[in-house]
Amino acid sequence: MSAAPLVEQLSREMGISTAAALFDGPRPRPVDPVLSPMFRRGGLPRGEIVTLTGGQSLSCALATIAAATQEQKWCAGIGLGEPAVSSIADLGVDLDHFVNLVTPAEDWLRVASILIESFDVLVVDPGFLPSAGERARLLAKVRERKVSFISLTSMPGSTEQIEITDTQWSGTEHGHGRLRSCLVQARSQTGVHRFLLPGAAGTPAAVPAPTAAGDGFERPVIRSVS
């Protein structure tokens, strides 16, 4: 059976500018241009679960939600511990629209289910992996409310998986100086990506282009591999 009549009918419906807009789902939330290539549609999806794992995953998640908070969308963190407020702000997060909840590990799923009703974006470090039934109910609520949900632990049912595979800190030489930036390598469905997080200004930055004198990036002395 041809889908053409259905597409034509849907295109005439109020609120749907084109049938493609319906089938493609809601537009993703904007993210920093440096981080955009990691996502299949160039931004943070709504109504879906994204997993972001590996070293610097918390910093990457916070940098990812920064644009949403700047657009006055409400974001919440669950199970993230107590990251330094100044560090969160340095990543571009508008603290007036970010709430960090310190909850017992066993309560994260209950708290998340409540916050989904009123928040636009959730960043969660689950204390445990919920059962298949619990995940199905969680995903149903995420879809219904069109919430952007980032899990810092691998979770079945996620539509996008981003893994930080390597981090290299730069800024110290022979034990002197201070850490200034971190070169991050991440793998997602769109490929392998390299960027600075933090960059010189604290926010994500593109990796400097190679030069004749070198690669444009100061050699790191501290390295962590996840």
Side-chain angles (χ1 to χ4, degrees):
M1 179 178 178
S2 173
L6 175 61
V7 171
E8 182 180 355
Q9 179 182 351
L10 289 172
S11 298
R12 293 196 298 266
E13 294 293 327
M14 293 293 293
I16 302 178
S17 57
T18 65
L22 175 67
F23 292 120
D24 288 345
R27 294 179 60 186
R29 301 186 192 280
V31 299
D32 189 290
V34 173
L35 304 178
S36 176
M38 293 193 301
F39 297 91
R40 290 181 299 168
R41 297 181 62 205
L44 188 59
R46 309 183 195 209
E48 302 177 26
I49 295 178
V50 174
T51 60
L52 209 167
T53 60
Q56 289 290 91
S57 59
L58 175 56
S59 293
C60 190
L62 292 172
T64 296
I65 70 171
T69 64
Q70 293 165 10
E71 291 189 345
Q72 300 184 342
K73 303 301 182 183
W74 282 99
C75 304
I78 305 173
L80 308 183
E82 299 184 23
V85 173
S86 60
S87 298
I88 298 176
D90 286 344
L91 290 167
V93 176
D94 178 1
L95 298 179
D96 288 338
H97 290 86
F98 177 75
V99 176
N100 186 42
L101 295 152
V102 180
T103 62
E106 63 272 15
D107 283 345
W108 82 263
L109 186 58
R110 178 179 63 84
V111 174
S113 297
I114 295 172
L115 294 184
I116 285 172
E117 299 294 334
S118 53
F119 278 75
D120 302 290
V121 183
L122 296 184
V123 180
V124 180
D125 193 356
F128 63 91
L129 186 63
S131 67
E134 291 171 328
R135 292 198 304 273
R137 289 191 291 273
L138 175 67
L139 181 55
K141 294 192 70 172
V142 167
R143 286 173 175 166
E144 178 186 2
R145 304 297 296 184
K146 294 182 173 57
V147 170
S148 296
F149 191 103
I150 301 176
S151 172
L152 300 185
T153 300
S154 295
M155 184 177 297
S158 60
T159 55
E160 300 208 30
Q161 302 85 37
I162 301 172
E163 181 186 7
I164 308 297
T165 57
D166 188 49
T167 58
Q168 298 178 13
W169 284 94
S170 174
T172 60
E173 290 186 6
H174 307 295
H176 299 284
R178 62 185 181 88
L179 297 174
R180 293 200 302 267
S181 61
C182 183
L183 175 62
V184 173
Q185 178 171 289
R187 181 175 62 240
S188 70
Q189 284 105 317
T190 61
V192 177
H193 311 277
R194 297 170 76 244
F195 50 88
L196 301 182
L197 182 66
T203 53
V207 178
T211 64
D215 62 5
F217 186 72
E218 183 179 352
R219 283 298 158 207
V221 296
I222 297 180
R223 176 187 176 102
S224 64
V225 179
S226 55

